[in-house]
Structures are given as C-alpha cells and as structure tokens.
Amino acid sequence: MAESKLTHRLTIPLCAVLLAGVFLLCVCAGSVAIPLGETLSVIRRALLGEEVTGSAAAILLRVRLPRVCCVALSGAALSLCGAAMQGLLRNPLADGSTLGVSAGASLGAVASLAFDLTLPAVPMAGTMAMAMLFAFLSLLLILSLAFTLDRSFSTHSIILIGIIFSMFASALMSLVISFAGEKIKSITFWTIGSLSGASWQQAGILLAALCLASLVLMRLWRELNAFAVGEENARAVGISVRAVKLTVLIVVSVLIGVCVSVGGTISFVGLVMPHIARMLVGPNHRRLLPASMYAGAVFLLLADLAARTLLSPIELSIGVVTSLVGAVAFVWIFRATKGGRR
Amino acid sequence: MLTARDITVRYGERTVVNSVSFHVRPGEWWMLVGPNGAGKSSLVRALAQAVPYEGDFLLEGVPMRGRKPADVARVMAVLSQQHAVQYSYTVEELVRLGRYAHERGFLRHMDSAGDEAISQALRDTGLTDRRHASLLALSGGEQQRVFLAQVFAQQPRLMVLDEPANHLDLKYQQQIFGLIQRWLMQGGRSVLSVVHDLSLARRYGTHALLLNDGRSAAIGPVREVLAPQVLSDVYEMDVFGWMRGLLSPWTQEE
C-alpha cells in the first residue's frame, strides 16, 4: 500500500510535466510547424516585453498561443466541474452541465448568432456576452425552481430539474435555429464546440474564472469527500450540507457558463476525465480535483491538436473529437471499473 | 444530555412521528424499538436534522434547530443506515471524515489528536490491518464496522445509532455492543440506538422507547418497556413465546 501511496503522490508532479510537454507540442505543431527553439525564443522575448516580428511570431502570439491557452484552461475547467459534481451528487454520470446552466448559455449564444443580438455597451463579442448573461439567468431560474420545488435541495431534485431545464432550453434552441436561415452553419459549428478563434481576452477571462473556482472548490475537498460517501454521512460529521451544496453548484455553474461562452458546449471532457483521474489518484478530492484539471487540460489540448491537424487543411470541430474519443473511453472505463463504481 | 419535546414528523399528509417526548441522561443507553413503520428511523433522521420536524430537540440544554452542524457534531455522532458506497475510498479516509468537526482553521490537517483517535477507533473495531483497503472490497459487515469506527473517531458525548448491528455476524455484534457499553461507562456519555433485535435491546439498554404507529406506546426503564405483555400488545403476537421457541431446539437438546 505504501507503494500505491507513492504513485498517488508522484502522479500530480508527473501530470504537471506532461501538461507542459503537451502544451509546447500543441504550440509548435499545426498547419505551419514552428521549431521548438524558435517557439521558446519568441515566448521568452514576448514575456520580456521585447518587440517580436516575423510570421512565426505573428502566428504564435496572435493565433496559436491564445488558442492553446484557452483550450488548456477550458479542459481544466470542464474537468474540474465534472469532478466536483460527480462527488457532490454522488453520481458518476454527473458533470458541469448536469444542472442545465450550459444549455441556457448555449441558448443565449445561439440566439445572439441567429438574430445578431448584442448587449449594448459591452466591449466583448456579442455571442460571449449573451452566453454569459443567459448562463446567469439560467442559474437564477434553476435555483429558484429548486427552491420552490424542494427546499432541501435533494440530489434527485437537482438532477431532475437540470434535465428538465436542459430539455426546455434545447427545445427553445431548436426553435431559434429553425428561424436562423443561412446562419445555421455557424450556429451548428458553435454548438458542437470550437475554440478556433480564441483571443487573449477570452484566455484571461477563463483564467480568472478557473483560478477563483478552483480556489473555492479545492478548499471544499473534505466536504466533497463526505458528499461522495453520502449526504446523510456528510450531515452526521458536521457539514453544513445546504450551504456547501449551494456553493459548489453556483461556482460550477459560473465556471461552466464562462467555458460555454468561450468555446461552446464541448462534451465528454467533464464526464470522462474525472474518471480517469480517479483511476490514477483515487477518489480523495484533495488529489482528485488537481489531477482532474491536469487530465482535462492534457486531453483537450490533444483533442484540439487532432482537430486542427488530422484532416488539415479542413479543421474539425473540437467537440466532435472529444465526443468520438470520449465515447470509446467511457465504454473502456465502464468495463474497467464494472459500472463506474470506482 | 438530550431532551426531545413533542417531536412530530410529517411526510406530506402522513404523520410518521406523532408528538414524541423523551429525556436521555448521561450514562443511559436508550433503545428505540417498535414494529416496521413505527417511526423509529424517522425520529432518528429528525434528530440528525435531516428531515423537517415540529417540536424541539435540546442537546445539553441548547435547542438544536438552527445550530451550526459542526458544533452539534462535536457532541453528537450519528450512524445512519448505510447505502451502497459509490467510490473506492480507503477505510482510513472514511474514518478520518469523522474528524471533520474537530478540524479547524487553515491548518486543519494538522489534527494530531485526530490521528490518535483514528488509530484507536480502527483498533477498537478490528480494522487496523484493513486501514488502506478500499471500501468497495469490504463485506457489508466490514463496511458497517468502518462507519462505526468513524463514529468513534468523532469522539462525541452522545451516539445516535440506527441499526448498529446491521450486517454484523454474532461475533462482531457481541464485540461492538460490548465496545459501545465500555465507551458508555467512561462517564458523561449516552447512547440512543434503533435496534430491531429485542433481545439485544433488553441485554444492553438501560431505557427504552417503544414506538407504535408514530406514537410512544411505552417509555421508561428497559425492564418495564420490554415486558412480555407490553410487547405482545404492540407487535400483535406472543413475542416472548416466539423468542423462547427460537431457542427451544437447542435447549431441548441440552
């Protein structure tokens, strides 16, 4: 057992090294391959505030780096949300979208794309601002619905309300799409998830949201462990069950709202990667939450790399890659853990 | 230690616990007994603040409603009827959850008294060598002992146990009940437990509350409450005769 504890301890530093390696690979590789030495020197000079010129520098600094940063941050965020929700709801099928906020955010984005809606006086791109606004409104609606239907916020009620709200938002989305005319293609592309046009500004927003959310959730690792064992047990050992539940739900929803507004609904990362992290470091959230973030970031980076290089010059949607790989991975995990009990 | 005043629990229109009152003093082991559906578990869940209730529970004289769960958990530990474990926590990780209410502030992982309490709880429940085993690899009886170890690690003054003998074989029933009894005798401590096995209730309890249809049918010293006539009225059968009959094949052979 001492041996497995050692591997548990070593996993997180190894994950960090792996992430750094994959990150550099994704920055260098692409339709125009840039040698590692040149990449590192451009990054170093840009960090030092020097003027960097040339086509390689332009590709790296304006296109590839912001995109790769957004991909890594989104992957980490989605997977973190999944791990927290699977623990909180004691359900291996939960992820950040379980509460329905991501469906609401998608609705906002789709409406903005279809009808060219924008928020006046908001400097960000219209789609992103609308997605965030709708995510926030959905969260309010879902929580007040939960509050009226079941004041104790039982796990079953949360999952049911999430499913109902997601279906409702999807129906509205279909309705919007049927009025969208020739914008259908861009809407479809957006709904499957894509980070192709990601900017530094979006990376900054993602980073801020991820930092805040991971700080809050990491401080709740004990509480999440207790919830993962059972809600009655959590109450018995002295946890303020409702307060913790509300905190986790709100934090996850905010983070998911930001993720969806930047990259659309990228499925399977939040569902599958926490399971893989759990196989590596065990179910203790103290290690599981950071391990999930690393696993999600690495997975989404590789998925994005595959999306833009496999059929180059055609670019696949990242959501297609994650769903294809994720579905196969899920069957494998299900087999390995005999029904997700892990 | 614990006073219950006119506790009523309703699920929708149905009243499952109807105006029940009792008073547990230090040194007493109260047995909550009664037929299926009498309201025993509902009463325990109300005490655990897991379901809404009317009336008041006073824990060491202070009303429990609205108190911080961690403040309550330092005095009272609850063993609820367990459901299937979902993830592969180790025995030690689960027992350590019992220390939650004692760990305070930023350095809450530096709970050295906790390490000792956890080791002691594992020793007492015979789990020391399963310390790093996964819960999913344990039998039902072993899992029950792990949750009991968590209750011991919590170092409460009042233990509330819903069916502590669940899944336990006879050896561990004897061992665990003996353990709880020794724990109780250290002074200033009380136990309230739901027990189906009336012979266990009679053997270990000091007091009993017999529930029937949500109402308190009899309350007081265990000898009076678990008297054959009282039991036969509530269970609508000859309880004593049945239990004597169960033992008769052996007694006849002797």
Side-chain angles (χ1 to χ4, degrees):
Chain A
M1 275 305 144
E3 187 194 350
S4 94
K5 282 228 150 169
L6 186 67
T7 36
H8 280 179
R9 273 198 198 130
L10 279 179
T11 308
I12 302 251
L14 283 177
C15 280
V17 174
L18 179 68
L19 175 62
V22 171
F23 186 90
L24 282 177
L25 170 72
C26 290
V27 176
C28 295
S31 49
V32 181
I34 300 167
L36 181 62
E38 194 177 347
T39 305
L40 288 176
S41 111
V42 168
I43 294 177
R44 187 176 51 83
R45 278 185 292 153
L47 283 178
L48 291 174
E50 292 172 27
E51 185 90 4
V52 209
T53 48
S55 65
I59 291 175
L60 280 175
L61 296 179
R62 294 222 193 101
V63 182
R64 220 172 268 167
L65 265 175
R67 173 179 183 153
V68 170
C69 285
C70 275
V71 169
L73 290 167
S74 294
L78 291 168
S79 183
L80 173 71
C81 290
M85 291 293 275
Q86 286 172 9
L88 183 79
L89 301 179
R90 197 170 158 271
N91 189 326
L93 291 177
D95 68 5
S97 63
T98 303
L99 195 61
V101 170
S102 62
S106 297
L107 175 63
V110 167
S112 136
L113 285 170
F115 306 133
D116 291 320
L117 293 178
T118 45
L119 292 180
V122 174
M124 284 175 287
T127 318
M128 189 173 173
M130 283 292 281
M132 277 192 192
L133 177 72
F134 268 65
F136 184 68
L137 293 178
S138 312
L139 179 62
L140 284 185
L141 191 63
I142 290 163
L143 288 184
S144 44
L145 205 60
F147 222 73
T148 19
L149 291 180
D150 176 9
R151 301 209 83 179
S152 66
F153 274 79
S154 81
T155 303
H156 292 298
S157 308
I158 290 172
I159 294 177
L160 274 177
I161 289 169
I163 290 174
I164 293 165
F165 186 83
S166 296
M167 285 167 84
F168 180 69
S170 303
L172 285 181
M173 208 146 65
S174 305
L175 195 67
V176 170
I177 289 174
S178 57
F179 290 112
E182 74 272 25
K183 287 170 187 145
I184 281 188
K185 196 168 174 225
S186 63
I187 291 178
T188 314
F189 195 71
W190 194 89
T191 47
I192 320 174
S194 166
L195 288 155
S196 57
S199 66
W200 279 119
Q201 190 191 31
Q202 290 173 321
I205 295 172
L206 268 173
L207 180 67
L210 180 63
C211 283
L212 278 176
S214 57
L215 268 179
V216 175
L217 293 177
M218 279 300 295
R219 271 190 62 76
L220 291 174
W221 64 268
R222 262 165 242 269
E223 287 81 353
L224 285 171
N225 281 346
F227 270 98
V229 170
E231 195 174 316
E232 294 216 359
N233 195 253
R235 188 178 284 110
V237 298
I239 289 168
S240 312
V241 169
R242 235 167 66 122
V244 171
K245 228 181 219 181
L246 261 178
T247 310
V248 174
L249 289 178
I250 290 174
V251 167
V252 164
S253 299
V254 169
L255 188 54
I256 280 291
V258 172
C259 282
V260 173
S261 70
V262 171
T265 40
I266 301 171
S267 51
F268 267 108
V269 184
L271 178 63
V272 175
M273 294 328 283
H275 285 281
I276 294 195
R278 211 173 278 119
M279 291 166 98
L280 291 172
V281 299
N284 191 334
H285 287 81
R286 188 182 195 173
R287 292 183 299 267
L288 178 62
L289 293 177
S292 296
M293 285 198 272
Y294 282 119
V298 167
F299 174 72
L300 205 58
L301 280 172
L302 291 175
D304 184 57
L305 186 64
R308 59 196 163 91
T309 54
L310 274 187
L311 294 181
S312 176
I314 300 173
E315 187 172 317
L316 294 172
S317 157
I318 193 173
V320 171
V321 179
T322 57
S323 295
L324 283 176
V325 179
V328 176
F330 201 66
V331 172
W332 173 67
I333 292 169
F334 196 77
R335 226 179 78 101
T337 63
K338 293 193 192 74
R341 281 179 47 142
R342 182 84 193 179
Chain B
M1 181 66 75
L2 175 72
T3 308
R5 270 195 212 138
D6 288 328
I7 302 298
T8 298
V9 180
R10 291 182 224 276
Y11 295 142
E13 296 287 290
R14 214 158 54 91
T15 304
V16 288
V17 177
N18 198 341
S19 193
V20 170
S21 302
F22 57 90
H23 181 63
V24 181
R25 289 176 194 81
E28 294 177 349
W29 186 339
W30 278 71
M31 296 291 182
L32 212 49
V33 292
N36 290 137
K40 306 182 293 288
S41 288
S42 296
L43 183 57
V44 167
R45 295 190 66 210
L47 175 56
Q49 312 294 308
V51 291
Y53 59 90
E54 291 154 35
D56 270 314
F57 286 109
L58 306 180
L59 184 63
E60 297 186 329
V62 187
M64 285 176 73
R65 191 180 273 117
R67 273 178 80 181
K68 273 192 193 155
D71 293 341
V72 172
R74 278 192 293 276
V75 180
M76 178 181 94
V78 182
L79 174 79
S80 42
Q81 285 202 47
Q82 298 309 326
H83 310 287
V85 180
Q86 186 73 49
Y87 301 111
S88 65
Y89 286 99
T90 65
V91 169
E92 186 181 338
E93 281 170 337
L94 195 122
V95 176
R96 192 170 286 280
L97 283 177
R99 298 301 302 167
Y100 177 83
H102 296 275
E103 298 165 334
R104 285 266 158 272
F106 270 98
L107 292 172
R108 47 187 188 172
H109 55 279
M110 309 281 285
D111 174 30
S112 56
D115 287 339
E116 180 45 40
I118 290 164
S119 299
Q120 183 67 42
L122 289 171
R123 269 198 300 279
D124 288 344
T125 47
L127 290 166
T128 304
D129 55 344
R130 313 301 310 264
R131 196 176 188 132
H132 301 293
S134 158
L135 279 178
L136 294 181
L138 302 184
S139 69
E142 286 172 314
Q143 288 191 5
Q144 181 74 355
R145 273 151 57 203
V146 177
F147 282 99
L148 268 165
Q150 189 196 66
V151 167
F152 278 110
Q154 205 170 324
Q155 296 182 313
R157 293 193 283 282
L158 170 67
M159 278 190 191
V160 178
L161 312 168
D162 196 352
E163 291 289 349
N166 242 359
H167 302 292
L168 294 183
D169 63 28
L170 288 179
K171 178 187 149 201
Y172 276 108
Q173 276 189 21
Q174 188 192 30
Q175 196 172 318
I176 296 291
F177 272 71
L179 188 65
I180 297 170
Q181 196 169 43
R182 282 196 297 284
W183 175 87
L184 179 65
M185 283 176 185
Q186 286 168 39
R189 298 170 171 183
S190 317
V191 182
L192 173 71
S193 59
V194 174
V195 171
H196 259 293
D197 188 333
L198 294 171
S199 47
L200 273 177
R202 179 72 180 80
R203 165 75 179 74
Y204 288 96
T206 61
H207 293 72
L209 169 58
L210 178 61
L211 286 178
N212 190 23
D213 251 347
R215 289 175 186 280
S216 141
I219 183 167
V222 73
R223 196 157 32 96
E224 292 165 20
V225 175
L226 299 187
Q229 191 51 49
V230 181
L231 289 176
S232 300
D233 286 350
V234 167
Y235 284 82
E236 293 171 340
M237 63 182 281
D238 178 10
V239 173
F240 201 53
W242 161 252
M243 296 214 294
R244 214 171 11 207
L246 285 177
L247 279 175
S248 65
W250 285 290
T251 47
Q252 277 162 17
E253 277 166 23
E254 273 171 10

